[in-house]
């Protein structure tokens, strides 16, 4: 990661970081894909169990990952300030927090998992498999959280390819483990859908092991000596990470849980509608990997420039990320609309489901643009460590605009399930506008003025 002087150089640098992050995100998405596809090949009840287990774990995982990913902007700012020793300290305390959170999550699972599944009134075989799947996943929680911290550290240095290579190497391992543990081939136990959980956990240990090895032995990571002085603990350092991370994590959690609630609310509609919604949402989620990858690169670059007190460059990266995400969302959205029937055909052979999925995908264009604006504006704010008001804005947008508007349109107009798409789009657009306004405010009032005073 180097200082840039022209728009061309900045665009090149953001793409150099972006593409490996995107491939990494798609690799992580593929693991979930393997879990679902192979469990479905085993039996429909196992697929349902894995889907239910994933719906319980996903908001928790994304929320906690948001907390741990706070290591990235903090470390990037320290790196920009040339305070390398403090970078290592931030990472070490991120590791401490990951261990503490792991213990808390496992303890909560011990006490609340069975009661939660009981309240869902699932068929006994589905409930048993969902429980076993989540137990299997639990063995990989610690390495998963540690990997997120180390990944944030690597990203903060502007190095993104190494994580991409690790994920690409792990995909065949994950595929093989899913295959043998779900179906019980070659002497492995036949675990059904639960095998997907154990396969994921083993893969997480492999991924984390490779990452630890690289951070300890390869330059420039080893020069930071992240794993030295592990006994040195600072409560203040942990508080700084949590001060940034908790609003980030909660914002991510509430966004993820909002989609889960919409899925639950749609259960009142017929099977065709539910299947079409899930298909369209899966397509949109896949395309969302692009703006989320842009946002991760954007946060690091803005943080680095803020740490170096190059506020003009930080501002350029902020808006470059937003504009880039909008353009890509517009292009991919138009392509999805133009080929919506063909895309929908990948998910179903039933004409009714294909037609309704294609109908939902028309609204995906506006949905994607709104989502691209809000996720990149929020990422830029994280680069400035401005997260508290951003969290409040997104909370209001998700839960006081998205859900109420969607519910009213779906249940009190003739729009039906389409109303939820319009509600989601309205809420995400409101979040994007509010976050962009906040970004303009802090760039004009806080950082530009500070820079001018320093120059004087």
């Amino acid at each position: 990661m180097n200082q840039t002087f022209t728009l061309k150089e900045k665009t090149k640098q953001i793409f150099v970081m972006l593409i490996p992050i995107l491939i990494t995100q798609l690799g992580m998405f593929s693991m979930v894909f393997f879990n679902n596809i192979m469990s479905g090949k085993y039996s429909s009840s196992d697929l349902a169990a894995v889907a239910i287990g994933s719906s319980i774990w996903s908001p928790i995982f994304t929320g906690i990952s948001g907390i741990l990913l706070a290591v990235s902007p903090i470390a990037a700012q320290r790196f920009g300030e040339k305070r390398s020793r403090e970078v290592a300290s931030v990472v070490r305390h991120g590791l401490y927090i990951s261990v503490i959170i792991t213990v808390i999550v496992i303890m909560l699972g011990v006490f609340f998992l069975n009661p939660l599944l009981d309240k869902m009134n699932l068929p006994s075989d589905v409930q048993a498999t969902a429980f076993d799947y989540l137990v299997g996943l639990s063995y990989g929680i610690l390495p998963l959280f540690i990997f997120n911290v180390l990944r944030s550290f690597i990203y903060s240095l502007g190095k993104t390819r190494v994580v991409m290579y690790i994920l690409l190497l792990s995909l065949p391992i994950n595929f093989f483990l899913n295959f043998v543990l779900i179906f019980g081939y070659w002497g492995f136990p036949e675990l059904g859908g639960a095998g997907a959980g154990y396969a994921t956990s083993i893969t997480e240990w492999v991924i984390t092991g490779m990452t630890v090895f690289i951070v300890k032995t390869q330059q420039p990571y080893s020069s930071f000596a992240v794993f030295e002085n592990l006994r040195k603990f600072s409560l203040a350092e942990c508080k700084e990470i949590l001060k940034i991370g908790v609003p980030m994590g909660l914002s991510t959690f509430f966004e993820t849980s909002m989609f889960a609630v919409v899925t639950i609310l749609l259960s009142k509609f017929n099977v065709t509608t539910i299947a079409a919604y899930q298909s369209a949402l899966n397509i949109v989620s896949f395309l969302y990997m692009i703006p989320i990858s842009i946002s991760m690169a954007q946060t690091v670059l803005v943080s680095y420039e803020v740490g170096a007190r190059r506020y003009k460059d930080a501002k350029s990266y902020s808006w470059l990320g937003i504009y880039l995400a909008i353009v890509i969302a517009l292009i991919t959205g138009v392509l999805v609309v133009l080929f919506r029937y063909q895309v929908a055909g990948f998910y179903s052979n039933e004409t009714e489901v294909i037609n309704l999925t294609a109908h939902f995908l028309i609204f995906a264009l506006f949905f994607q643009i709104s989502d691209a604006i809000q996720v990149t504006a929020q990422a830029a704010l994280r680069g400035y460590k401005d997260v508290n008001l951003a969290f409040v804005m997104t909370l209001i947008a998700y839960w006081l605009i998205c859900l109420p508007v969607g519910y009213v349109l779906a249940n009190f107009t003739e729009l039906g399930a389409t109303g939820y798409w319009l509600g989601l789009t309205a809420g995400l657009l409101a979040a994007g506008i509010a976050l962009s306004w906040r970004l303009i405010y802090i760039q004009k009032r806080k950082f530009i003025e500070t820079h001018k005073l320093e120059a004087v």
Side-chain angles (χ1 to χ4, degrees):
M1 192 157 55
N2 303 307
Q3 183 180 1
T4 54
F5 301 94
T6 66
L7 180 62
K8 183 179 179 180
E9 289 177 348
K10 286 179 171 60
T11 304
K12 180 180 178 181
Q13 178 143 285
I14 201 170
F15 269 104
V16 166
M17 290 188 65
L18 159 66
I19 293 173
I21 292 175
L22 175 59
I23 295 172
T24 300
Q25 292 297 119
L26 292 174
M28 297 176 75
F29 186 87
S30 297
M31 290 190 188
V32 178
F33 180 77
F34 290 159
N35 288 350
N36 287 314
I37 291 295
M38 292 193 178
S39 297
K41 294 292 183 181
Y42 187 80
S43 78
S44 58
S45 64
D46 283 73
L47 174 58
V50 170
I52 289 165
S54 298
S55 68
I56 293 172
W57 172 239
S58 183
I60 298 170
F61 162 64
T62 53
I64 293 172
S65 293
I67 296 174
L68 299 176
L69 290 175
V71 168
S72 188
I74 298 172
Q77 280 201 17
R78 297 284 195 278
F79 186 55
E81 294 164 351
K82 311 297 183 184
R83 294 155 64 184
S84 297
R85 289 185 179 180
E86 293 186 24
V87 171
S89 180
V90 170
V91 179
R92 279 195 294 272
H93 286 83
L95 294 174
Y96 296 143
I97 293 171
S98 69
V99 173
I100 293 168
I101 292 177
T102 297
V103 174
I104 294 172
V105 170
I106 291 175
M107 292 303 296
L108 289 173
V110 168
F111 289 106
F112 296 108
L113 179 55
N114 261 325
L116 176 62
L117 290 172
D118 288 338
K119 287 187 176 181
M120 297 178 75
N121 296 317
L122 302 168
S124 58
D125 58 335
V126 174
Q127 179 171 336
T129 303
F131 178 83
D132 292 339
Y133 170 73
L134 288 168
V135 169
L137 281 179
S138 70
Y139 289 101
I141 292 176
L142 179 60
L144 176 61
F145 290 166
I146 289 174
F147 168 70
N148 271 303
V149 173
L150 296 178
R151 177 169 67 126
S152 297
F153 161 59
I154 292 171
Y155 284 175
S156 72
L157 304 182
K159 309 291 184 180
T160 56
R161 289 186 183 181
V162 63
V163 179
M164 176 189 73
Y165 294 140
I166 291 171
L167 259 294
L168 290 177
L169 286 171
S170 69
L171 285 179
I173 297 171
N174 182 252
F175 182 86
F176 171 78
L177 290 171
N178 268 292
F179 184 71
V180 297
L181 291 175
I182 291 174
F183 297 99
Y185 291 122
W186 300 327
F188 285 87
E190 184 179 342
L191 302 176
Y198 289 96
T200 300
S201 288
I202 296 170
T203 306
E204 295 295 351
W205 280 104
V206 173
I207 289 171
T208 303
M210 287 192 287
T211 309
V212 169
F213 175 79
I214 288 170
V215 170
K216 286 188 70 174
T217 62
Q218 303 297 311
Q219 289 288 350
Y221 322 109
S222 59
S223 63
F224 289 86
V226 167
F227 298 107
E228 294 181 10
N229 301 317
L230 285 175
R231 294 183 180 180
K232 190 176 181 180
F233 179 83
S234 168
L235 187 60
E237 196 84 65
C238 288
K239 284 182 178 178
E240 182 181 7
I241 295 172
L242 293 173
K243 185 179 179 181
I244 304 296
V246 170
M248 287 172 57
L250 287 175
S251 180
T252 305
F253 171 79
F254 284 119
E255 181 179 8
T256 308
S257 58
M258 173 192 68
F259 284 98
V261 170
V262 171
T263 302
I264 293 170
L265 292 172
L266 275 165
S267 62
K268 64 169 285 186
F269 293 92
N270 58 41
V271 175
T272 299
T273 301
I274 297 170
Y277 170 79
Q278 289 294 345
S279 298
L281 184 61
N282 190 264
I283 294 163
V284 170
S285 298
F286 179 79
L287 293 173
Y288 180 66
M289 295 297 104
I290 301 175
I292 196 67
S293 299
I294 294 172
S295 74
M296 294 175 76
Q298 185 185 12
T299 295
V300 172
L301 291 167
V302 173
S303 300
Y304 176 72
E305 298 296 351
V306 169
R309 298 189 177 186
R310 294 190 289 264
Y311 302 124
K312 183 178 179 181
D313 291 320
K315 181 179 179 180
S316 296
Y317 275 122
S318 299
W319 294 102
L320 178 60
I322 293 171
Y323 297 146
L324 181 62
I326 292 172
V327 170
I328 293 176
L330 182 61
I331 294 170
T332 56
V334 169
L335 289 174
V336 166
V337 171
L338 290 175
F339 299 100
R340 59 189 181 277
Y341 290 99
Q342 291 86 343
V343 173
F346 284 115
Y347 289 83
S348 178
N349 295 321
E350 299 177 20
T351 304
E352 288 186 27
V353 175
I354 291 173
N355 289 337
L356 188 55
T357 302
H359 170 72
F360 287 154
L361 288 175
I362 294 173
F363 299 93
L365 169 61
F366 308 101
F367 178 91
Q368 283 179 241
I369 295 172
S370 300
D371 210 6
I373 296 170
Q374 70 94 21
V375 73
T376 48
Q378 192 171 15
L381 288 169
R382 289 171 177 174
Y384 289 100
K385 292 185 180 179
D386 189 85
V387 294
N388 292 321
L389 187 57
F391 161 65
V392 174
M393 288 175 171
T394 53
L395 179 62
I396 292 171
Y398 299 154
W399 287 84
L400 297 183
I401 298 178
C402 282
L403 285 177
V405 171
Y407 183 83
V408 170
L409 292 175
N411 293 278
F412 298 98
T413 71
E414 296 181 357
L415 289 170
T418 303
Y420 284 112
W421 283 102
L422 293 174
L424 290 169
T425 302
L428 291 171
L429 181 59
I433 293 171
L435 293 166
S436 298
W437 169 83
R438 177 62 181 174
L439 181 60
I440 292 170
Y441 174 82
I442 66 163
Q443 288 174 341
K444 283 186 174 180
R445 296 296 182 90
K446 293 189 176 183
F447 289 89
I448 294 295
E449 290 181 5
T450 303
H451 181 57
K452 287 177 179 178
L453 289 172
E454 286 170 356
V456 174

